[in-house]
C-alpha cells in the first residue's frame, strides 16, 4: 500500500487519467446540453442567435463549422479543447497546492481532484463550465501566489471578465476570491491592486457584452436582465435546501479521498487567518450544495477546485505512507469505476442517428426536438430540460401548433422523455414535466415513426366505408405506402407514388385498408433500423 504513495506512481496515475479523458472525448455519450451549446455556435454563424446572455463563447468556436463529421465530429474537436482547459485548471491546482503545501502533496491533490466525483464523465464536456473553471482557477492562482505585477493584474482582469461572460454562475466563486484577498491582505498595496483589477474586469466584461449584444437580435422577453433575473430566481430562490441531495451524496461517495484530505486540512489550518481562508475556499461548494438547483453532476467539476487549497494542506499532513497509500488506492478505485462507467455509455447510437438524419436531409430543414441535437439545423421551440418544461408549463399556453404552422418542420426527434411520451403514449397523464395534451396530440397527428428516435412528417391511417378527409399539417412531398390501390382526390394512386400536398386530401379505397403518407426525403429511406430506446445516457443518480 505504501508503494502507491510514491511520487512517480501518482504522476503516472495522473497521466493515465488524462489519457482516458482523451479517449472519452471521442467515445463518451454526448449529453443533451452539449448539443444545445453547439447549436448556439451554428445559430450565430447563420444569423439565428436570439439570446445574448451566456452566448459570448460563440465568437471563439466558429471554426467548429469546418470540422468534418457533422455534430459528433465537432463536439469531439471541442472536447479536445475542453481537455486542454481542464489541463490548465489542473496546472493552477498544482501551483496553488505546491505553494500551500509541498510538491508531493500537490500531486496527491491533483489526483484527488481528477478522480473525484464526475470529473471523468463531465470535466471535459462541451459546456461553459470547463471554460469558466479554467479561467477562474487561473485567476485564483494569480491572486493567491502571484506577485501582483502590472501584467498579472491585467491578465487577472481579463480572466475574470471572460469567466463572467462564459457563465454568470462564475459569481459563485466570489467567496474563494474573498479568501484570496484575506490571504494577501497584509501585503502593502495588495488590496487596492486587487480591487482595481476586479473593477477593470467588470468594466471589460460590460464593454464586451455590449459589443456582443449589438450583434444579436433579441426578441422581447429574452433580454439579458430579464433572463438573468429569471435564472437567479429559479436556481437559487425557488428551491428548498439541498435541492440536489442525491447528486451530493453520490459525489461524496465518489470523492471520499478528497473529502478526507479536506477534513484533515481544516483541522490543520494552524492559525485563524489560514482557517478563515480555508472556510472561504469551501464556501462556493457549500453554498451551492445547500441552495443551487442546478447542482447536477456536471456542476461539481466546476465548483470543487477551490477546495483543493484545503486538500493540499491535508495531503501534506498525512505522514504515514500506508495511510497516504490507502487514500491513493481509494482515488484510483473511484476513478477506475467512473472511467469504466463512462466508457460503457458509448455514443454509437448518437452517431448513427445523426448520420441518418444528415443522409435523409443533406440540406438543413426546420425540426422539433428536446435540445437542438441537430445543431446545424434551424430549430424553433424551447430547450426541454426540466427547467425549460416548467417555464413552458407556467405560461399555460400550448405552442406546438404555432411552431408547425410557422416553420413547417418535416423532422421530429423524440430524443428525451417529454417528446417520447408525447409521441408514444396517447394516454399519458397531464404531468408537470410533460407537454400539454394539446401539444402532444398535434405532434402525434403530424409525424409518423421512421427509425430510432427519428419521426418524419406524415400520417398513418385506416380507410373506412366513406372517403377519409386528411389534413397534412406540414405541406410538401409525401410518399404513399399501402398494400393496394387508393383514390386520392379522384386520382388513382399506388404504393410508392409521391404526392405534392398543400391542401386537405380526400382518400378512399378498400375498407380497413392501412396506408401511410410519409415525408419524401431527397434520398431513399434506409433499411437498417436504428435501435429503439433513448440516445442519452443521462446523469448518474442514486436509487434512494
Amino acid at each position: 500500500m505504501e508503494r502507491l504513495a510514491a511520487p512517480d506512481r501518482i504522476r503516472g496515475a495522473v497521466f493515465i487519467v488524462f489519457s482516458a479523458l482523451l479517449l472519452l472525448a471521442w467515445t463518451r455519450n454526448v449529453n443533451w446540453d452539449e448539443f444545445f451549446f453547439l447549436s448556439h455556435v451554428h445559430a450565430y454563424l447563420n444569423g439565428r442567435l436570439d439570446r445574448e446572455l451566456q452566448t459570448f463563447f460563440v465568437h471563439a468556436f466558429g471554426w467548429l463549422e469546418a470540422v468534418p463529421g457533422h455534430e459528433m465530429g465537432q463536439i469531439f474537436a471541442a472536447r479536445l479543447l475542453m481537455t486542454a482547459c481542464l489541463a490548465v485548471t489542473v496546472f493552477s491546482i498544482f501551483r496553488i497546492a505546491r505553494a500551500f503545501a509541498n510538491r508531493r502533496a500537490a500531486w496527491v491533490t491533483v489526483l484527488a481532484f481528477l478522480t473525484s466525483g464526475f470529473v471523468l464523465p463531465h470535466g471535459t464536456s462541451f459546456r461553459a463550465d470547463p471554460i469558466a473553471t479554467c479561467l477562474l482557477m487561473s485567476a485564483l492562482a494569480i491572486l493567491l501566489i502571484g506577485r501582483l505585477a502590472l501584467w498579472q493584474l491585467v491578465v487577472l482582469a481579463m480572466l475574470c471578465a471572460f469567466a463572467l461572460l462564459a457563465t454568470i454562475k462564475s459569481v459563485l466563486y466570489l467567496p474563494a476570491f474573498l479568501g484570496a484577498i484575506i490571504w494577501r491582505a497584509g501585503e502593502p498595496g495588495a488590496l487596492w491592486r486587487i480591487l482595481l483589477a476586479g473593477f477593470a474586469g467588470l468594466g471589460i466584461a460590460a464593454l464586451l457584452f455590449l459589443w456582443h449584444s449589438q450583434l444579436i437580435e433579441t426578441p422581447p422577453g429574452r433580454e439579458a436582465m430579464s433572463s438573468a433575473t429569471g435564472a437567479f430566481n429559479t436556481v437559487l430562490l425557488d428551491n428548498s435546501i439541498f435541492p440536489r441531495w442525491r447528486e451530493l451524496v453520490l459525489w461524496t461517495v465518489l470523492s471520499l479521498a478528497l473529502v478526507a484530505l479536506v477534513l484533515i486540512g481544516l483541522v490543520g489550518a494552524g492559525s485563524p487567518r489560514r482557517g478563515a481562508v480555508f472556510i472561504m475556499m469551501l464556501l462556493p461548494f457549500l453554498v451551492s450544495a445547500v441552495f443551487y438547483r442546478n447542482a447536477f453532476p456536471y456542476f461539481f467539476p466546476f465548483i470543487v477546485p477551490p477546495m483543493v487549497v484545503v486538500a493540499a494542506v491535508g495531503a501534506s499532513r498525512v505522514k504515514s505512507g500506508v495511510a497516504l497509500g490507502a487514500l491513493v488506492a481509494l482515488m484510483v478505485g473511484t476513478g477506475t469505476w467512473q472511467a469504466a462507467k463512462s466508457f460503457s455509455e458509448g455514443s454509437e447510437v448518437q452517431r448513427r442517428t445523426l448520420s441518418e438524419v444528415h443522409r435523409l436531409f443533406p440540406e438543413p430543414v426546420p425540426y422539433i426536438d428536446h435540445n437542438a441535437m441537430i445543431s446545424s439545423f434551424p430549430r424553433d421551440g424551447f430547450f426541454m430540460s426540466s427547467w425549460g418544461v416548467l417555464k413552458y408549463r407556467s405560461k399555460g399556453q400550448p405552442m406546438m401548433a404555432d411552431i408547425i404552422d410557422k416553420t413547417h418542420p418535416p423532422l421530429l426527434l423524440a430524443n428525451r422523455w417529454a417528446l417520447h411520451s408525447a409521441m408514444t403514449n396517447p394516454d399519458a397523464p397531464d404531468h408537470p414535466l410533460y407537454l400539454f395534451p394539446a401539444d402532444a396530440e398535434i405532434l402525434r397527428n403530424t409525424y409518423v415513426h421512421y427509425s430510432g428516435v427519428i419521426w418524419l412528417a406524415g400520417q398513418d391511417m385506416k380507410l373506412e366505408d366513406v372517403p377519409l378527409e386528411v389534413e397534412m399539417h406540414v405541406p410538401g412531398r409525401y410518399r404513399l405506402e399501402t398494400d393496394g390501390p387508393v383514390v386520392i382526390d379522384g386520382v388513382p394512386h399506388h404504393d410508392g407514388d409521391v404526392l405534392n400536398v398543400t391542401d386537405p386530401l380526400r382518400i378512399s379505397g378498400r375498407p380497413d385498408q392501412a396506408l401511410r403518407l410519409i415525408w419524401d426525403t431527397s434520398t431513399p429511406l434506409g433499411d437498417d433500423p436504428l435501435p429503439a430506446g433513448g440516445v442519452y445516457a443521462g446523469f448518474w443518480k442514486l436509487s434512494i
Side-chain angles (χ1 to χ4, degrees), residues 78-90:
R79 280 177 169 180
L80 292 181
L81 186 56
M82 298 302 102
T83 305
C85 287
L86 181 64
V88 173
T89 297
V90 165

Side-chain angles (χ1 to χ4, degrees), residues 298-368:
Y298 63 79
F299 176 74
F300 287 87
F302 165 79
I303 205 65
V304 164
M307 296 170 59
V308 299
V309 175
V310 189
V313 174
S316 68
R317 289 178 59 83
V318 180
K319 304 301 182 183
S320 166
V322 174
L324 188 59
L327 287 172
V328 171
L330 186 57
M331 297 174 200
V332 171
T334 56
T336 301
W337 184 87
Q338 291 184 81
K341 177 79 170 167
S342 299
F343 276 115
S344 71
E345 297 172 342
S347 59
E348 181 60 27
V349 176
Q350 294 176 325
R351 295 179 191 279
R352 288 184 59 192
T353 299
L354 285 161
S355 294
E356 183 64 5
V357 168
H358 283 283
R359 187 188 72 84
L360 294 173
F361 299 98
E363 297 298 324
V365 296
Y367 72 110
I368 294 171

